[in-house]
């Protein structure tokens, strides 16, 4: 093992905040069109055969008490990735009985933590009861992969494409045990800057909790259960709204969530007056082709969703203004950048403080709204085209709902994950998402 095998600080945080009721894995439910009832079984065989040849899928995570080099003293008590000596793809790819409801099965599978003693990923193949479709639920632990890395790993066991063709990485300069004396002034300035940034982020987190009213529907005592749902929208409709009012596609997609929350809360009798939940919008800080393939590099923006505003156009304007303000400040500052503080915590601190940090999520934000990038080209498995793909985000402790969004082949896919006990009506929220887009189209029409 080398120091490069050690988990990055944010990966280590994800590994240590996990509990039985709050598994920290990402998910994606892909639906494939097929022409044979046996297509699902064939897909499971292909996935298992291909997984054996993907090095990243052989990696397990184990605790490391002593750092491998003096240059990593803060790694004491950390964890590292290493090849599993007894890796068997058949332990990770599972074929299930035919089902008429892919999301019902996916919800039950999403609530099960990945086994920590072996490579933390799974692929569940769900044949459709209709005989002309099947689905695959991929699960990757967040310590193994962020959204971009999970996409690369999943693409490696789908039918071959040029998705993961990458440029050679430039050679890195040799590392030193101690910094060059000539660089000490810069090192000191950098350290002081880091301290200042940490204080700024901490103050922003504290201020973000003031004067905000969320809804009891978005927080709950954890039941350990999960429910999933999906919504498919036309990307052309989203662009029509964007062109009419300005801003970005992401602004529109976030405003749709705000409006859907308002509809859903009012329909279930919880009320939306005065409700402005804090939404965490993760931001990737690494480039797909040039960054190291392992290690989460995430920051985020924090905005208040204008759920209490009855005007759909007004909600969109508020979201656009808030996102512009966040972008002007950059992903390294503000309350949403609190994930960056993981870089300043010793590994042992992550291990000992993980349970406490996981319980603090509800103090920081009320709902996660994340975007997961997908390629523009069509994906296939065993020659069967991928027609829908719903990303699923981990559900933080004390929170009832998480939203992930992807665009694929001209359509927008919302993947919804909820605590099944707290949100038994997740399908109603899914319908509210679709209805809100129609409302925005009318509100933004010339």
């Amino acid at each position: 093992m080398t120091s490069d095998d050690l988990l990055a600080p944010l990966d280590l945080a994800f590994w240590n905040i996990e509990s039985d009721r709050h598994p920290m894995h990402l998910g994606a439910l892909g639906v494939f069109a097929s022409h044979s009832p046996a297509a699902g079984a064939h897909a499971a065989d292909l996935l298992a055969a291909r997984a054996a040849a993907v090095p990243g899928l052989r990696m397990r995570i184990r605790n490391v008490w002593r750092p491998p080099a003096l240059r990593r003293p803060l790694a004491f008590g950390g964890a590292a990735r290493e090849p599993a000596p007894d890796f068997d793809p058949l332990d990770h790819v599972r074929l299930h009985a035919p089902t008429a409801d892919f999301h019902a099965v996916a919800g039950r599978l999403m609530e099960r933590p990945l086994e920590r003693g072996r490579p933390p990923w799974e692929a569940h193949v769900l044949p459709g009861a209709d005989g002309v479709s099947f689905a695959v639920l991929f699960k990757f632990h967040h310590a193994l992969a962020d959204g971009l890395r999970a996409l690369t790993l999943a693409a490696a066991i789908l039918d071959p494409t040029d998705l993961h063709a990458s440029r050679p990485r430039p050679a890195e300069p040799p590392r030193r045990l101690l910094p060059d004396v000539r660089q000490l002034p810069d090192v000191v300035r950098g350290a002081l800057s880091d301290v200042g940034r940490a204080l700024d982020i901490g103050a922003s987190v504290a201020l973000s909790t003031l004067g905000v009213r969320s809804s009891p529907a978005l927080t709950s005592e954890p039941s350990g259960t999960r429910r999933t749902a999906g919504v498919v929208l036309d990307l052309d409709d989203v662009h029509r709204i964007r062109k009419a009012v300005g801003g970005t596609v992401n602004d529109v997609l976030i405003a749709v969530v705000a409006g859907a929350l308002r509809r859903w809360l009012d329909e279930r009798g919880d009320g939306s007056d005065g409700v402005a939940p804090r939404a965490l919008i993760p931001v990737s800080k690494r480039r797909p082709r040039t960054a190291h393939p392992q290690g989460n590099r995430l920051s985020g923006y924090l905005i208040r969703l204008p759920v209490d505003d009855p005007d759909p156009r007004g909600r969109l304007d508020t979201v656009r203004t808030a996102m512009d303000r966040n972008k002007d400040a950059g992903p390294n500052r503000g309350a949403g950048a609190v994930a960056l503080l993981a870089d300043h915590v010793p590994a042992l601190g992550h291990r000992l403080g993980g349970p406490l940090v996981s319980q603090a999520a509800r103090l920081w934000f009320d709902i996660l709204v994340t975007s997961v990038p997908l390629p523009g080209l069509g994906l296939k498995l065993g020659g069967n085209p991928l027609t829908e793909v719903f990303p699923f985000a981990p559900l933080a402790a004390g929170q009832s709902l998480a939203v992930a969004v992807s665009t694929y082949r001209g359509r927008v896919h919302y993947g919804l994950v909820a605590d099944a006990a707290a949100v038994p009506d997740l399908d109603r929220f899914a319908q509210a998402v679709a209805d809100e887009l129609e409302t925005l189209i009318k509100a933004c029409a010339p």
Side-chain angles (χ1 to χ4, degrees):
M1 183 188 70
T2 69
S3 62
D4 291 334
D5 299 320
L6 293 171
L7 293 190
L10 189 53
D11 298 336
L12 189 60
F14 288 138
W15 188 247
N16 283 293
I17 66 177
E18 182 174 63
S19 67
D20 288 343
R21 291 193 171 190
H22 292 97
M24 289 301 299
H25 52 253
L26 310 169
L29 181 69
V31 180
F32 297 82
S34 68
H35 300 289
S36 167
H42 179 56
D45 292 339
L46 284 176
L47 293 174
R50 293 170 178 173
V54 180
L57 297 177
R58 303 180 65 93
M59 304 301 288
R60 69 178 180 181
I61 297 173
R62 71 175 180 88
N63 294 328
V64 176
W65 282 103
R66 189 176 70 176
L70 292 177
R71 64 177 178 268
R72 298 293 299 273
L74 296 183
F76 179 81
R81 297 182 184 88
E82 65 175 13
D86 54 351
F87 174 68
D88 185 349
L90 295 178
D91 292 333
H92 300 263
V93 179
R94 299 166 189 174
L95 177 64
H96 294 256
T99 178
D101 190 340
F102 295 138
H103 279 286
V105 180
R108 293 191 295 270
L109 293 172
M110 283 295 292
E111 69 189 38
R112 302 178 189 173
L114 294 164
E115 189 172 327
R116 292 170 73 92
R118 61 190 186 191
W121 69 275
E122 292 175 350
H124 297 270
V125 181
L126 315 175
D130 56 12
V132 296
S133 67
F134 67 90
V136 179
L137 174 67
F138 290 103
K139 294 168 56 178
F140 294 97
H141 198 285
H142 217 330
L144 178 70
D146 60 8
L148 289 173
R149 174 66 172 162
L151 171 62
T152 301
L153 291 173
I157 52 178
L158 296 178
D159 290 357
T161 69
D162 61 357
L163 173 65
H164 38 82
S166 59
R167 302 170 185 168
R169 294 177 61 205
E172 296 182 357
R175 298 183 179 181
R176 301 172 182 266
L177 291 179
L178 294 174
D180 191 309
V181 173
R182 293 169 294 182
Q183 298 175 345
L184 283 177
D186 291 335
V187 172
V188 171
R189 281 194 294 270
L192 292 176
S193 176
D194 285 348
V195 171
R197 184 191 309 165
L199 292 174
D200 178 66
I201 293 171
S204 297
V205 171
L207 290 173
S208 73
T209 64
L210 301 177
V212 181
R213 178 172 176 260
S214 183
S215 169
L218 297 178
T219 60
S220 64
E221 290 302 316
S223 69
T225 60
R226 294 290 182 271
R227 185 184 302 274
T228 74
V231 188
V232 181
L233 306 178
D234 193 323
L235 184 58
D236 286 342
D237 289 337
V238 177
H239 279 300
R240 192 186 318 166
I241 297 169
R242 178 191 60 79
K243 291 176 181 177
V245 301
T248 68
V249 166
N250 204 38
D251 295 341
V252 177
L253 299 180
I254 295 171
V256 166
V257 173
L261 284 172
R262 178 180 176 85
R263 289 172 178 272
W264 178 61
L265 293 175
D266 287 343
E267 285 178 4
R268 65 185 352 228
D270 291 332
S272 58
D273 291 343
V275 174
R278 296 156 299 178
L280 176 65
I281 316 295
V283 177
S284 176
K285 295 193 68 200
R286 66 183 180 88
R287 299 173 184 173
R289 292 184 178 272
T290 60
H292 194 282
Q294 296 179 348
N296 281 278
R297 295 294 300 159
L298 293 173
S299 180
Y301 299 141
L302 198 67
I303 71 170
R304 298 184 186 183
L305 295 180
V307 172
D308 55 348
D309 188 342
D311 177 23
R313 179 75 175 262
R315 289 193 294 267
L316 178 53
D317 290 341
T318 299
V319 167
R320 185 179 61 184
T321 300
M323 289 298 289
D324 286 345
R325 185 167 55 246
N326 275 308
K327 292 170 187 174
D328 289 341
N332 293 333
R333 305 191 69 86
V338 72
L340 298 178
L341 298 180
D343 292 338
H344 306 284
V345 178
L348 189 59
H350 284 294
R351 178 173 294 192
L352 299 178
L356 179 62
V357 171
S358 69
Q359 295 301 318
R362 72 174 76 187
L363 301 177
W364 169 29
F365 64 97
D366 302 300
I367 185 172
L368 178 73
V369 183
T370 184
S371 178
V372 181
L374 287 177
L377 68 163
L379 299 174
K380 296 181 179 181
L381 177 56
N384 303 290
L386 177 67
T387 59
E388 298 176 339
V389 56
F390 302 99
F392 299 137
L395 193 61
Q399 296 180 348
S400 303
L401 177 65
V403 180
V405 192
S406 283
T407 57
Y408 175 71
R409 307 288 283 176
R411 298 197 293 177
V412 178
H413 294 77
Y414 280 83
L416 312 176
V417 176
D419 184 292
V423 188
D425 56 344
L426 185 60
D427 288 342
R428 292 177 62 185
F429 177 72
Q431 184 59 51
V433 170
D435 292 342
E436 180 61 18
L437 181 68
E438 294 299 322
T439 298
L440 269 175
I441 291 173
K442 295 176 182 177
C444 297

